Amino acid sequence: MKIDVSSFSAPCPCGREHKIHVKDILIEAGAINKIPELLTEIFTGKPEEICIICDDNTYSAAGVQVEDKVKGCKVIVLPSKGLHADNHGVKLAEEKLENHIKLILAVGSGTIHDLSRYLANKRGIPFVSVPTAASVDGFVSTVAAMTWNGFKKTFPAVSPILVVADSTIFSKAPYRLTASGISDLLGKYTALVDWEVAHLVTDEYICNRVCDLELTALNEVCSCLEDLRGDVSEEARLKAYEQLMYALLLSGIAMQMVGNSRPASGAEHHISHLWEMDVINHPLDAYHGEKVSIGLMIAAETYHTMKEAIRNGQYEMISYNGLDYLNLKESFGPKGLYEGMLEENTPDPLEQIDVMEFERILPQIADILDKLPSVDRIDELLTKGGCVKYVHEIGLDEHIIPKTICLSPYVRNRLTFMRLTKLIQLF
């Protein structure tokens, strides 16, 4: 399967020009064998000017094959244990990345890609994506989601110019990684609702074509869930994995079209980012997608509860008094992140909200929330995908949920319905 990326930059009814940075995407069995041919189309340098970045697990999974195909290239094998997309991970890779390197081959999943895209941007060189697991939707992202000195931040980075996704490789990844990718995609249900609500409330830019692209990605993943885990032929299994990878890359292209993660990241991701900062919880042995799927369940339950209260008139509007400074200082202060949180939340997106106008359009907001599948339906999809759903599955207690709902909207200066619930009191 070859994705015609040029079609996504066609003129759009939204009036904006959508820039696509990835030049070519190949998803098929044996795709890795075409790397030498594909590289000649995009790179005129010498093999010794190419560097593979991987970890000890992904080197065994695919790095050794890529090294064999690109003879003479340099190889950086990072330790997989304790490796994260953070300033420590960047330092480990940067110390080994020689100055003469002109092209990076990222052979791995989320962490390896974020480190590679960050370093490629810093060095001003291109990189190529070779996914070893269908675990995240950020392979073609133009930003790097990093934890920097304990603070979850999004850094400017670069998209790969080429993606070579070999289904015979990424289909063999531990299934937990695949389930994480499914979770990341299903999180778009709340992300898209959040975007549409923000558009209604503040007239924030939205592109219906991009929303449709994300919905296509969602439909793709929902259609292949049973074949990913079921007793099917090898041909059917590989086809399902290719559908999943296609959906993940479509979501990434949607982000490229807008220039940020808005189409793919809402309240569910903010919950994940909060937990990744370790301010109200101990460090978690959980993948990004696993935290997203739990965040999706929490957000969906909150949103449906609010929707019913709005329709039944079981609420009252609250006078907004600004940021919750006490809670923010108590939670983020001990790790030295309080000032950073204040900076992230300036200007406060709720300060621009006319509460009377907001109350007037609440019925329209409830109609948007109707687009969110029921909690039971989301539960069913996550179960089919073998995804985690509840906080106890990643070592958290349910008592953390109220504080998570309170603090997670502050992690990003992005308006979500979760943040807007601070203006509504249920009774």
Side-chain angles (χ1 to χ4, degrees):
M1 180 192 310
K2 194 169 183 178
I3 300 179
D4 179 14
V5 294
S6 63
S7 64
F8 300 111
S9 57
C12 184
C14 78
R16 288 196 182 184
E17 179 186 356
H18 297 305
K19 293 185 178 179
I20 304 299
H21 305 279
V22 61
K23 306 298 182 187
D24 218 349
I25 295 175
L26 182 65
I27 311 169
E28 65 182 33
I32 203 167
N33 297 318
K34 297 183 179 179
I35 283 183
E37 172 192 341
L38 293 168
L39 286 182
T40 60
E41 297 173 8
I42 61 168
F43 184 67
T44 57
K46 302 173 184 177
E48 55 266 30
E49 294 173 325
I50 299 173
C51 182
I52 295 170
I53 297 182
C54 55
D55 64 36
D56 43 38
N57 288 328
T58 63
Y59 179 73
S60 301
V64 65
Q65 295 180 60
V66 177
E67 183 181 14
D68 182 60
K69 302 294 178 188
V70 190
K71 296 187 186 301
C73 69
K74 306 296 182 182
V75 183
I76 295 174
V77 182
L78 300 171
S80 57
K81 187 175 181 180
L83 184 67
H84 299 289
D86 57 15
N87 39 316
H88 176 66
V90 167
K91 184 180 178 183
L92 284 177
E94 192 166 28
E95 285 175 347
K96 298 180 179 181
L97 188 63
E98 298 173 24
N99 291 330
H100 69 275
I101 296 300
K102 295 181 180 176
L103 177 71
I104 292 172
L105 299 183
V107 181
S109 54
T111 296
I112 290 296
H113 275 71
D114 275 331
L115 294 175
S116 297
R117 81 177 72 255
Y118 177 88
L119 289 172
N121 183 62
K122 186 175 180 180
R123 294 284 181 93
I125 60 176
F127 90 98
V128 171
S129 162
V130 184
T132 56
S135 56
V136 293
D137 71 345
F139 291 118
V140 296
S141 174
T142 54
V143 296
M146 315 280 281
T147 303
W148 210 260
N149 297 322
F151 197 85
K152 194 71 181 183
K153 298 183 71 173
T154 300
F155 287 90
V158 290
S159 160
I161 55 173
L162 168 68
V163 179
V164 183
D166 191 327
S167 53
T168 62
I169 291 172
F170 64 77
S171 66
K172 293 175 184 173
Y175 189 78
R176 184 181 169 194
L177 285 165
T178 301
S180 179
I182 294 167
S183 297
D184 204 7
L185 278 171
L186 292 178
K188 308 321 167 209
Y189 280 123
T190 38
L192 290 173
V193 162
D194 278 331
W195 196 12
E196 193 170 345
V197 168
H199 170 67
L200 175 65
V201 175
T202 67
D203 200 31
E204 178 184 330
Y205 163 75
I206 195 168
C207 175
N208 291 328
R209 185 174 166 216
V210 170
C211 291
D212 289 343
L213 201 63
E214 285 288 14
L215 289 170
T216 298
L218 275 168
N219 291 334
E220 283 286 333
V221 71
C222 290
S223 70
C224 70
L225 289 178
E226 293 181 347
D227 285 351
L228 289 169
R229 305 177 71 209
D231 184 14
V232 296
S233 68
E234 181 64 9
E235 182 182 359
R237 195 178 76 88
L238 285 182
K239 182 181 177 183
Y241 269 88
E242 288 167 7
Q243 279 181 272
L244 173 60
M245 182 59 76
Y246 175 65
L248 290 166
L249 292 170
L250 275 187
S251 180
I253 287 171
M255 289 186 271
Q256 278 200 23
M257 291 172 72
V258 175
N260 57 57
S261 63
R262 178 46 125 166
S265 174
E268 77 299 323
H269 269 71
H270 299 168
I271 289 171
S272 173
H273 294 330
L274 175 67
W275 291 340
E276 286 160 10
M277 293 171 73
D278 303 333
V279 291
I280 61 171
N281 53 272
H282 54 79
L284 302 174
D285 180 22
Y287 292 132
H288 168 71
E290 292 174 329
K291 287 168 278 190
V292 167
S293 58
I294 300 170
L296 169 62
M297 290 287 286
I298 291 171
E301 189 166 340
T302 303
Y303 286 14
H304 282 300
T305 299
M306 296 297 294
K307 178 188 70 177
E308 293 308 315
I310 289 167
R311 288 192 167 142
N312 294 329
Q314 297 174 325
Y315 71 92
E316 61 182 4
M317 304 305 294
I318 301 172
S319 296
Y320 186 62
N321 296 314
L323 298 177
D324 189 350
Y325 295 103
L326 185 62
N327 253 325
L328 287 171
K329 190 159 192 175
E330 179 185 88
S331 300
F332 294 93
K335 294 196 76 170
L337 304 177
Y338 177 64
E339 295 299 327
M341 289 303 295
L342 295 185
E343 183 179 345
E344 176 65 29
N345 287 277
T346 304
D348 179 354
L350 289 187
E351 287 183 346
Q352 63 178 308
I353 306 299
D354 181 323
V355 177
M356 290 182 65
E357 174 62 15
F358 177 58
E359 183 173 21
R360 187 188 70 78
I361 61 174
L362 279 178
Q364 293 171 258
I365 291 175
D367 290 342
I368 294 172
L369 297 177
D370 272 335
K371 297 180 181 182
L372 183 63
S374 69
V375 174
D376 286 345
R377 175 58 177 160
I378 292 172
D379 187 296
E380 177 189 353
L381 290 170
L382 291 171
T383 300
K384 277 186 181 179
C387 309
V388 302
K389 300 179 292 186
Y390 307 113
V391 290
H392 68 82
E393 295 179 79
I394 60 170
L396 294 174
D397 189 277
E398 289 207 0
H399 291 106
I400 203 171
I401 294 175
K403 197 155 194 177
T404 295
I405 291 171
C406 172
L407 291 174
S408 59
Y410 296 118
V411 172
R412 284 281 182 277
N413 197 319
R414 174 173 287 171
L415 192 65
T416 62
F417 183 65
M418 189 72 83
R419 189 146 187 163
L420 286 165
T421 62
K422 295 183 179 295
L423 303 177
I424 308 170
Q425 176 71 51
L426 302 191
F427 56 78

